[in-house]
Amino acid sequence: MVELPRSLPEFEARFPDEAACARWLLEKRWPDGFRCPACGHDKAWELGRERLTLQCAACERQVSVTAGTALHGSHLPLRTWFLAAWLVATHKNGMSARQLWLQLGLGSYKSAWLLLRKLRRAMVDPEREPLAGLVEVDETSLPFRAGGEPAGPGRSHGGKLLVAGAVEIRGKRPGRIRLAVIGDCSAVALGAFVAAAIAAGSTVVSDGWPGYKRLKDVKHEPTVVGETPAHLVLPWVHRVFANAKRWALGVYHGLRPAHLQAYLDEFVFRFNRRRTPHAAFDRLLGLGLTLEPATYQMLIGRS
Ligand SMILES: [Zn+2]
């Protein structure tokens, strides 16, 4: 079990150079020793110390330690990736591309922005388990600012986007959360959110909004808010919304609509791994994920 560095000096000692990063990836990838993906042989030769590539001693297949990770094909040093992932994983509120640019001393703001986009892309596990048990669900609106990207902080006019949220309740504490941009508060939109985020058989607690009336596959406990302030009936989902809004303002000086879902995904990622930064670090490097290499066009896509 490799411990995650707890401070910058510890990070420097643990990952002093490219070879140390490559070695760490090697151990993560084959914790029980090398196994050739082509022929299953367990002996390999090491080619190159920095971008470690292994060559199977039997079939001569070459395997890069970065294959299948978020780092693959990047021109940036491994150490830059590791430091970026460590900063993003351990920093309580995360980082804007501008902060990352300054911290890493990268040549351009744009390369920091692209690096951060790739790290964010690794934040959503396509095979994550839906929320289950008792789940609070509600919707809110998030203000956004207009303007192209990449953009620095500054004043601009914007509007509001609707966001649905769900929080697992484990005893008296919140478990995992989900946040998603929704087009409207109709039964169709809210039903789709619940179906994607919450396992069948769960119990959904809502404020009794008609949009939740026709939920399928889950038990619904509408709590008619009436005179009672909504934050008393649905305390956790309201706290999550409030934190997400404060975070958006504090770290990003407001969110841009084109990437709102990516920002929400980052917030959810942080919240769900708030007690396991080492798991966050692994995931940010794309370990345990089978991602297609992301192109610039995919990352800036507005779909
Ligand atoms: Zn082989």
Side-chain angles (χ1 to χ4, degrees), residues 140-273:
T140 189
S141 60
L142 278 183
F144 67 81
R145 62 190 177 88
E149 69 278 304
R155 264 143 60 93
S156 56
H157 51 277
K160 290 196 168 200
L161 280 169
L162 290 170
V163 172
V167 183
E168 277 178 339
I169 307 302
R170 301 251 177 96
K172 290 183 174 174
R173 308 212 56 82
R176 297 169 301 153
I177 66 169
R178 291 278 191 279
L179 295 172
V181 177
I182 51 173
D184 54 55
C185 291
S186 67
V188 171
L190 293 169
F193 169 70
V194 167
I198 302 173
S202 304
T203 300
V204 168
V205 186
S206 82
D207 60 6
W209 171 254
Y212 294 106
K213 263 184 188 158
R214 282 182 281 147
L215 292 181
K216 286 179 207 154
D217 303 326
V218 292
K219 194 161 158 266
H220 183 214
E221 283 183 6
T223 309
V224 178
V225 177
E227 299 292 304
T228 317
H231 65 270
L232 295 181
V233 178
L234 301 165
W236 286 110
V237 72
H238 282 248
R239 192 174 296 193
V240 165
F241 284 153
N243 285 348
K245 287 176 193 181
R246 200 159 41 226
W247 171 78
L249 279 176
V251 180
Y252 294 111
H253 308 282
L255 303 173
R256 285 183 302 270
H259 300 304
L260 182 58
Q261 187 60 54
Y263 292 123
L264 296 179
D265 289 340
E266 177 176 357
F267 184 86
V268 168
F269 175 85
R270 269 175 207 298
F271 190 94
N272 290 349
R273 287 172 183 75

Side-chain angles (χ1 to χ4, degrees), residues 88 95-97 100 112-120 252:
V88 170
M95 298 219 152
S96 66
L100 203 59
W113 184 83
L114 198 54
L115 174 56
L116 195 57
R117 289 289 302 163
K118 286 183 181 170
L119 291 177
R120 285 212 190 95
Y252 294 111

Side-chain angles (χ1 to χ4, degrees), residues 57-79:
C59 74
E60 302 195 328
R61 164 80 162 257
Q62 291 188 4
V63 194
S64 161
V65 290
T66 59
T69 71
L71 300 66
H72 200 61
S74 168
H75 66 282
L76 292 173
L78 296 182
R79 208 162 169 279

